[in-house]
């Protein structure tokens, strides 16, 4: 299983067409270019749940404490379809790792810091 460089809470941008849906007027739409916060990361399936992206309608049955009806919520998308947003430029960027040696209480520890490839800034 590959290490994922996107974490919960990151701001990401959709870089591919995720789903072709139709608006009420019949025209097609997609989530290409949308930005949102990562709500959940599933490392096993390599999918992420992004706020406001890939919204689908689910028909839910009423049960105690839950109102029934048509509920719109986010569906997971593959992690390769999103890129982290550079904190400096606001554009999508790849993620690199920088290792930093820190000495604490006489011990040397290696910290791994995520870095935006576009600007070189820490994430």
């Amino acid at each position: 299983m590959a290490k994922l460089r996107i974490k919960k809470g990151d701001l990401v941008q959709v870089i591919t067409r995720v789903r072709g849906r139709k608006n009420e007027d019949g025209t097609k739409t997609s989530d290409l270019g949308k930005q949102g916060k990562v709500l959940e990361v599933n490392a096993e399936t390599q999918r992420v749940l992004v706020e406001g992206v890939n919204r689908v309608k689910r028909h839910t049955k009423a049960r105690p404490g839950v109102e029934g009806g048509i509920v719109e919520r986010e569906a997971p998308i593959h992690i390769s379809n999103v890129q982290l947003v550079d904190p400096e430029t606001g554009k999508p960027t790849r993620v690199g790792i920088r290792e930093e040696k820190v000495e604490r209480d006489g011990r040397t520890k290696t910290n791994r810091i995520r870095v935006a490839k576009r600007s070189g800034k820490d994430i």
Side-chain angles (χ1 to χ4, degrees):
M1 184 167 47
K3 276 213 166 222
L4 306 179
R5 302 215 169 154
I6 293 177
K7 310 256 185 253
K8 181 179 175 181
D10 285 347
L11 182 66
V12 295
Q13 181 171 334
V14 179
I15 57 169
T16 58
R17 295 194 188 280
V18 176
R19 174 177 295 225
R21 291 185 304 280
K22 290 189 177 177
N23 293 327
E24 283 111 27
D25 60 353
T27 59
K28 281 194 173 182
T29 182
S30 81
D31 292 330
L32 179 66
K34 280 190 181 177
Q35 290 186 358
K37 192 171 90 172
V38 175
L39 302 173
E40 187 179 313
V41 177
N42 188 339
E44 287 181 12
T45 60
Q46 294 190 349
R47 293 188 173 271
V48 291
L49 201 64
V50 182
E51 188 176 43
V53 174
N54 200 19
R55 300 202 39 97
V56 293
K57 291 183 180 180
R58 291 282 177 244
H59 297 258
T60 58
K61 189 174 184 179
R63 19 179 233 265
V66 178
E67 190 177 325
I70 300 173
V71 179
E72 198 170 337
R73 64 179 189 192
E74 290 89 4
I77 59 175
H78 198 269
I79 201 160
S80 65
N81 295 332
V82 296
Q83 266 190 335
L84 196 71
V85 173
D86 193 322
E88 189 173 293
T89 62
K91 294 181 179 176
T93 182
R94 291 175 298 166
V95 179
I97 300 291
R98 185 181 80 234
E99 290 187 354
E100 207 173 69
K101 298 218 185 265
V102 178
E103 194 167 322
R104 204 181 275 164
D105 299 330
R107 290 183 168 191
T108 304
K109 185 179 174 186
T110 304
N111 283 347
R112 292 168 52 93
I113 300 165
R114 293 186 306 157
V115 179
K117 291 273 190 170
R118 184 180 284 263
S119 66
K121 298 286 182 189
D122 292 356
I123 298 168

